[in-house]
Amino acid sequence: MVVVQQLRLVLEAEPPRFDLPGFTLRHYRGPDDIDRWLELRQRAFARQRVGVGTWSRADFERELLMKPWWRPERVWFAEPRGESSPVGMVTLAERGRGTAAVPVVHWLALLPTWRRRGIGRLLMNAVHRAVWNAGGREIRLETHSAWTAAGKLYEALGYVPVPAPSP
């Protein structure tokens, strides 16, 4: 049985900068990046046991562009230096409003042939630093228990399960 896991990371100190030689990070640049984001998401999850449905541009607009938290600087693409084809991306969202808003990793996706090379760590480091610099001290995310590689990455980064609410 596949279970959605809720995880969190408490930032106790400023995250040190993590650089990965040969890779650059960049933010969302406009409408052309919608297709890059959609293709990357689709290819990254194509072989997962728990499937991720295909999204359209309208889905992207509804789930990202139309949200009150949306800003281009909340999306990072990882590209091999000198190339303009991303191999990974992450999106930072918020749950809740006002002072109750909590930063959440909305999507982290890496092309399968580019996994286990530090790119996920590079992308997550960008999220951690952005949250810290904005004054946040906690980040949340959801993942499926079947996505064991993602779970191992999050555990290595210090994420722990969110305690279940008391009855």
Side-chain angles (χ1 to χ4, degrees):
M1 179 172 151
V2 176
V3 176
V4 174
Q5 298 175 317
Q6 306 277 330
L7 304 173
R8 76 180 190 147
L9 174 69
V10 175
L11 298 171
E12 296 177 0
E14 181 177 1
R17 184 178 181 89
F18 178 78
D19 290 313
L20 188 61
F23 287 88
T24 58
L25 288 181
R26 70 167 180 85
H27 295 288
Y28 175 89
R29 289 187 220 159
D32 288 344
D33 275 344
I34 295 174
D35 292 328
R36 289 180 184 96
W37 193 97
L38 291 170
E39 179 184 353
L40 183 54
R41 180 185 172 277
Q42 185 63 33
R43 289 177 57 201
F45 292 99
R47 294 185 180 159
Q48 295 297 322
R49 286 190 347 213
V50 177
V52 173
T54 302
W55 273 19
S56 67
R57 289 177 71 92
D59 293 320
F60 181 90
E61 291 171 5
R62 183 179 54 257
E63 290 293 324
L64 299 167
L65 296 179
M66 296 173 73
K67 298 294 185 188
W69 51 259
W70 167 257
R71 289 194 296 281
E73 63 272 13
R74 289 177 172 246
V75 177
W76 293 264
F77 289 99
E79 298 173 335
R81 190 158 285 127
E83 296 184 26
S84 61
S85 182
V87 298
M89 61 81 173
V90 68
T91 303
L92 177 62
E94 285 181 356
R95 287 215 180 101
R97 296 194 185 270
T99 59
V102 176
V104 295
V105 176
H106 193 51
W107 284 101
L108 171 65
L110 298 169
L111 295 179
T113 56
W114 289 90
R115 292 179 184 155
R116 302 194 54 79
R117 299 184 190 198
I119 301 164
R121 185 175 295 273
L122 177 70
L123 289 161
M124 291 299 288
N125 181 256
V127 168
H128 297 167
R129 292 180 56 78
V131 169
W132 178 269
N133 290 337
R137 296 301 178 258
E138 180 179 333
I139 305 168
R140 296 205 176 201
L141 61 83
E142 292 180 350
T143 189
H144 289 282
S145 60
W147 297 345
T148 55
K152 288 178 184 177
L153 170 65
Y154 299 137
E155 183 181 325
L157 295 173
Y159 283 82
V160 296
V162 173
S166 300

